[in-house]
Amino acid sequence: MAVGDPSLGPAAIVPVGATNDAPDPRGGSAIGGEAWWSRYRASVEGHLSPTALSVLEADARYIIGKALPRAKDRLDKAAWPESRVRTGMVVGSVQSGKTASMLGVAAMALDVGVDLLILLAGTRVSLWLQTYERLLAQLDGSTADSAYRRRAERLILPQPADILHKQRADPARYLQRPLARQALRAGRPIICVIPKEDDHLLTLRRFLADMISDDYLDACGHPYSILLLDDEADDASVLDSDRSQKITPRLITALWSGDTDEATTRHVNMLATYVAYTATPQANFLQATHNPLSPRDFNAALRTPGATGAVMPRSLTYVEPAGVRSYYCGGEIFYERLRKAGDGALCHTALFPDLRFGETETELAGRRDALRWTMLSDALRCYLVGAAVRSLAPGWEHAFNHARAFTSAEEALTAARGPHTMLIHPSARKEDHFSTAVDVVRWAMAMPGREAEVELHEGAEERLEVSADGLERRLSHEEAEWSAWLSRFEASRIALATLPQVPYASISAAEWPKVRTALIERVFPNVRLRVLNSDPASDDRPRFEIAEDEAGFHVPADSLSIFIAGNVLSRGLTLEGLTTSLFLRGAAEPAADTQMQMQRWFGYRGGFLPFCRVFTYEDQLQLFRRYHINDNALKTEVMSSMDAGEDTNGPALVLQGATFVATSKVEARKVPLSPGPRPSIRLVEVEDGDLARHNIDIAVDLLGDGQWVPLRDDNGLERGVIRTEPVSLRMLAGTLDKLRYSHHDPDLGNELSQRWEHYARLLGIDDPLFTPPMRNPQNYGAEPQSCPYSIAAYLRLWSYLTGDHSAPGFYPTDRPEVPWNYADTLRTSTPEFYLAFRHGQSNARDSRLAAKGIKAVTRDRVANGRALQTLWGTRGYGGSYFGDELIDYYFHKTAPVPSIQGGASWRPRGHPGLALLHVVSAPELSTDLLAIGLGLPHGGPDHIAALRA
């Protein structure tokens, strides 16, 4: 890689030459037995910096080591479970280079001698063909015309001639049995690249059953190995329940089992590994474990190049020496770095209109439509002005000139400096795509503000041509709105100037006359409008390759295109040169995984980042920002597991939010981290007298530690006793952990328990947070908000997070829209808790408590007697008493005293907390009972975990 050349990143890898004479890797090659990896590395190293290439290789080696464990230069059969199937997950980022990783893993698998490599290339024909072409060029080092030359080394099915032409063969024809028999006899690997469509999977299952028969496996001198790489694995590969009628996941498992109802391989001499690749793994992690494709054995997360981070230990990004042109531009760039850059911010939002008081539905619809036209106008002007500015750069004068014919492909490629594209995502409905395209045509022809009045001529809606004359006329009537984008682009350039090796030239407002001329002469005549439909069987990919006709060679057809699409662009397909995105899609209950896939503006945009913009509604931007934060938390946990060298790591913790779900593909429940403002431990021990006395002993021990004084309200009425000095979060946690119950001893294998292991791994906490007794592990006898061990774990976590500690995915309880680390300036010292006893009417039966003046309260219990119906007593209505939840305020006098009237309320940030102990009268038992209510101040950590329903 030449010094100063931009590294395009994994997502921008391009094909290499058509010939390669590498020897057969299965026979041992002259290049160290890694012929496939060496070939693949050679195809990408000209477009990656040495650092990026080393990260790509390191991650691929980690994945292949987990997918195909080896011992003494052969597969370690003992590493496979009884089913002889290993399953794992690889998590990437949207348009970050997952395919590059997948092909790297494929290369290494072939080098270690995998017998059958299956690549499931998405659910759409366009993505299938895109992946197939990349595999030929980069992994195989061949082209459609030259692939046959390497048939002695491997068999690729389908053959290029069967699918890379308009008349594509069906799976029954492209899975050629004679070629497969030859490969099996010669011991050559078979590579199958197929779409994740049921008819293709069903045909492949039958093909494999015929070709790799039991007789063949009996005679095979080594375990026959299958590696299946599932691209976009959250799309169609998730099984939501054991009663689900979904057939695709079962057809995938049948590739090695032979039966849709079986999960094990169909022969003892067959080993299979399934590796799921996706940027949105929420459903894969949350799906019930009865899905054989659920990741059980390993997980990996891919890193992206950026301005910060280390290669080891792993972090979300690593420093890319090539500078910003080679950075992956994801949530950190779009949502955080330029968040406060004013006109230079990359995201432009508007408040979605809600119904006003006295407004009719018709009036509301009118306001919403007017706002939609305003956002469309802003986005189109941004896009077109950006294209004009870029066309003025040296060498760009013909970059968008579709009419000009060049004498050679090389000459056309030199002129085509890069595409400049726009995406409009109106909704998932196809009819909205076409109506939006018609609106763009109207906008180009209309006087400003009168777009809806334009009547199109017959046939105009089918042609979808953007009027150059209309655009010029519109420009003349609103020139100020167009020229304003120069200063906005310049503001972005200045905001990005602190990044390493920025390649951006200054954008001066004084250049507007030149930009205006470029708009009229270079941009308006060449802009095109394309609607990409959502038909899985269509191949309507964007065209970014050099075009050829009878006149000669031309710049790519989509070098200056406005794309309007929905779901078709939410999976795998890449819009090169995407600068402007208008996202108008909404959802009643947004699903993070679905909407994350729609962020097609993510990618390697560093070369033209000042021109990038996202236009959407403010509430949608907040959702995107929260998805980004939760995604970082998940990947950080996975990377921590990778660095820890764990033999097996199960699913990572999936987060969601109060206003969105993690996924709609499977059912999940929302479990908040914080126990709330006033959690109460209403569990009581009525069945085991020894345990009940043990809990009373805890109360006695507390009274023997520190100074306790009577607690009186403003009227002098003694309400209880209080410890004069507060205790720390950790000391209170230790007290709660001492409580014992015969009916509540949470099993560490329960998902509610395991989440605390996730937190510790994510945050690098060595000591366990959740420490139940484990005397008689069982299901939870209370919800986490009432579980003493869960509350204790929360207090320990809070204590750990105070100060400057990274906590991806967390936010303070009083600022849910602000990530935990962003709230550092708001955070006060670690909260402390006062301990107090609430007095009742009768003396405590334990003589030690009675000697301290403790009086038992009376509380009703639930039907089985194992918990109190309620705990908190007097609420303080009427103003003469603060209420039991705030009883400590009479002692420490912290102001202001919060009000609990109208419902539970938090203590203000910075106020002390309270643990109010209740000795509960139980005359029918041998001893009184103990229950505890807590009052928590605002400012503790929170988030919402998604757990299996």
Side-chain angles (χ1 to χ4, degrees), residues 143-161:
T143 67
D145 296 327
S146 66
Y148 72 92
R149 298 175 186 171
R150 301 194 60 244
R151 192 175 292 173
E153 300 174 40
R154 85 293 176 264
L155 172 63
I156 296 180
L157 296 175
Q159 295 280 281

Side-chain angles (χ1 to χ4, degrees), residues 647-711:
D647 292 335
T648 301
N649 45 37
L653 184 69
V654 175
L655 303 181
Q656 50 190 8
T659 58
F660 65 90
V661 296
T663 179
S664 58
K665 300 182 181 77
V666 298
E667 292 186 7
R669 50 182 169 150
K670 292 185 176 183
V671 181
L673 172 67
S674 170
R678 53 184 194 95
S680 57
I681 302 169
R682 294 181 291 111
L683 292 169
V684 289
E685 180 53 54
V686 296
E687 298 168 7
D688 187 322
D690 291 337
L691 293 182
R693 282 185 289 273
H694 167 84
N695 292 340
I696 290 295
D697 288 343
I698 294 173
V700 173
D701 291 342
L702 287 175
L703 286 168
D705 178 40
Q707 182 180 0
W708 294 74
V709 298
L711 180 57

Side-chain angles (χ1 to χ4, degrees), residues 332 335-336 339 622 625-630 632 805-827 909 940-943:
E332 176 62 29
Y335 305 147
E336 305 301 344
R339 187 177 184 180
Q622 296 307 320
R625 181 170 284 121
R626 177 53 59 185
Y627 302 157
H628 165 64
I629 293 169
N630 288 357
N632 283 351
H805 191 94
S806 176
F810 293 79
Y811 50 82
T813 55
D814 52 347
R815 296 289 301 277
E817 76 285 358
V818 179
W820 179 262
N821 298 88
Y822 291 7
D824 281 344
T825 56
L826 302 177
R827 195 164 310 134
R909 178 189 283 262
D942 202 6
H943 67 205

Side-chain angles (χ1 to χ4, degrees), residues 491-796:
S492 298
R493 184 195 70 82
I494 293 172
L496 293 165
T498 57
L499 292 174
Q501 303 182 44
V502 289
Y504 317 127
S506 176
I507 306 168
S508 171
E511 298 293 310
W512 172 246
K514 293 181 181 179
V515 175
R516 190 182 194 282
T517 301
L519 279 166
I520 296 170
E521 296 179 356
R522 299 181 180 181
V523 176
F524 292 166
N526 292 296
V527 66
R528 296 187 175 182
L529 185 61
R530 287 197 59 193
V531 177
L532 301 184
N533 67 49
S534 297
D535 181 2
S538 68
D539 180 21
D540 54 355
R541 288 176 290 171
R543 303 299 178 185
F544 296 119
E545 63 277 357
I546 297 300
E548 182 182 8
D549 60 18
E550 61 277 4
F553 297 89
H554 301 269
V555 298
D558 285 325
S559 60
L560 190 63
S561 288
I562 300 170
F563 295 96
I564 301 175
N567 295 338
V568 71
L569 278 176
S570 297
R571 286 288 169 187
L573 285 177
T574 299
L575 284 186
E576 296 183 20
L578 179 60
T579 59
T580 310
S581 302
L582 175 60
F583 190 90
L584 300 172
R585 181 168 177 168
E589 187 176 34
D593 57 349
T594 300
Q595 292 204 338
M596 285 172 65
Q597 288 284 358
M598 297 174 186
Q599 299 171 113
R600 309 319 290 179
W601 45 91
F602 284 6
Y604 292 87
R605 316 291 187 194
F608 49 89
L609 196 53
F611 301 102
C612 292
R613 290 295 187 278
V614 177
F615 296 83
T616 190
Y617 296 111
E618 177 62 30
D619 57 345
Q620 183 62 60
L621 177 60
Q622 296 307 320
L623 287 173
F624 283 140
R625 181 170 284 121
R626 177 53 59 185
Y627 302 157
H628 165 64
I629 293 169
N630 288 357
D631 182 53
N632 283 351
L634 184 146
K635 289 176 182 158
T636 299
E637 182 190 347
V638 173
M639 289 180 185
S640 296
S641 295
M642 295 170 71
D643 286 344
E646 299 173 4
D647 292 335
T648 301
N649 45 37
L653 184 69
V654 175
L655 303 181
Q656 50 190 8
T659 58
F660 65 90
V661 296
T663 179
S664 58
K665 300 182 181 77
V666 298
E667 292 186 7
R669 50 182 169 150
K670 292 185 176 183
V671 181
L673 172 67
S674 170
R678 53 184 194 95
S680 57
I681 302 169
R682 294 181 291 111
L683 292 169
V684 289
E685 180 53 54
V686 296
E687 298 168 7
D688 187 322
D690 291 337
L691 293 182
R693 282 185 289 273
H694 167 84
N695 292 340
I696 290 295
D697 288 343
I698 294 173
V700 173
D701 291 342
L702 287 175
L703 286 168
D705 178 40
Q707 182 180 0
W708 294 74
V709 298
L711 180 57
R712 296 183 174 88
D713 63 19
D714 289 341
N715 296 320
L717 180 62
E718 185 173 322
R719 301 281 184 168
V721 295
I722 188 168
R723 192 177 189 272
T724 58
E725 296 295 328
V727 300
S728 67
L729 290 168
R730 293 183 182 238
M731 181 176 173
L732 178 56
T735 297
L736 298 181
D737 271 342
K738 294 176 182 177
L739 294 169
R740 295 291 182 265
Y741 308 95
S742 60
H743 55 280
H744 180 70
D745 190 354
D747 191 333
L748 289 177
N750 189 291
E751 270 197 309
L752 291 170
S753 305
Q754 289 179 339
R755 63 189 176 125
W756 298 106
E757 295 180 23
H758 290 291
Y759 301 146
R761 186 182 302 116
L762 171 65
L763 301 170
I765 302 175
D766 295 328
D767 296 328
L769 296 170
F770 184 68
T771 57
M774 295 299 292
R775 296 172 60 255
N776 180 29
Q778 56 191 272
N779 290 329
Y780 276 65
E783 291 297 317
Q785 291 80 5
S786 297
C787 166
Y789 318 120
S790 296
I791 297 173
Y794 176 80
L795 298 176
R796 286 195 188 90

Side-chain angles (χ1 to χ4, degrees), residues 32-235:
E34 292 196 338
W36 285 93
W37 170 252
S38 297
R39 182 185 300 115
Y40 180 64
R41 180 187 176 99
S43 75
V44 302
E45 63 184 354
H47 306 282
L48 295 175
S49 72
T51 303
L53 189 57
S54 68
V55 170
L56 174 66
E57 180 174 357
D59 287 345
R61 291 198 184 281
Y62 177 90
I63 295 164
I64 203 64
K66 294 291 186 179
L68 299 173
R70 294 170 63 78
K72 297 181 179 179
D73 297 327
R74 65 185 62 189
L75 294 179
D76 182 7
K77 194 171 183 179
W80 270 258
E82 186 177 352
S83 65
R84 299 181 295 280
V85 180
R86 289 176 63 83
T87 58
M89 167 70 69
V90 178
V91 184
S93 300
V94 174
Q95 300 192 141
S96 66
K98 294 186 299 298
T99 304
S101 169
M102 192 163 57
L103 293 180
V105 169
M108 292 180 181
L110 291 164
D111 280 332
V112 301
V114 73
D115 296 289
L116 173 61
L117 174 67
I118 302 173
L119 202 160
L120 298 184
T123 59
R124 301 181 183 280
V125 167
S126 52
L127 180 56
W128 174 33
L129 300 182
Q130 174 180 284
T131 303
Y132 187 93
E133 290 170 345
R134 284 188 64 177
L135 180 140
L136 277 185
Q138 297 169 9
L139 178 65
D140 197 53
S142 66
T143 67
D145 296 327
S146 66
Y148 72 92
R149 298 175 186 171
R150 301 194 60 244
R151 192 175 292 173
E153 300 174 40
R154 85 293 176 264
L155 172 63
I156 296 180
L157 296 175
Q159 295 280 281
D162 288 332
I163 64 166
L164 294 183
H165 299 285
K166 290 184 178 179
Q167 297 298 322
R168 286 188 296 275
D170 60 41
R173 290 175 52 205
Y174 72 58
L175 293 172
Q176 300 187 38
R177 282 168 165 75
L179 294 179
R181 292 190 185 97
Q182 292 175 15
L184 289 170
R185 282 196 297 268
R188 295 193 297 267
I190 299 175
I191 304 171
C192 295
V193 186
I194 68 168
K196 196 163 29 177
E197 293 291 338
D198 292 348
D199 57 334
H200 292 258
L201 292 169
L202 181 59
T203 307
L204 180 60
R205 185 197 73 174
R206 294 169 178 166
F207 169 82
L208 295 177
D210 289 345
M211 294 296 97
I212 308 169
S213 64
D214 287 352
D215 289 342
Y216 176 86
L217 293 170
D218 286 336
C220 191
H222 64 276
Y224 190 88
S225 55
I226 301 174
L227 175 63
L228 191 149
L229 304 176
D230 186 357
D231 195 13
E232 305 295 344
D234 64 312
D235 189 16

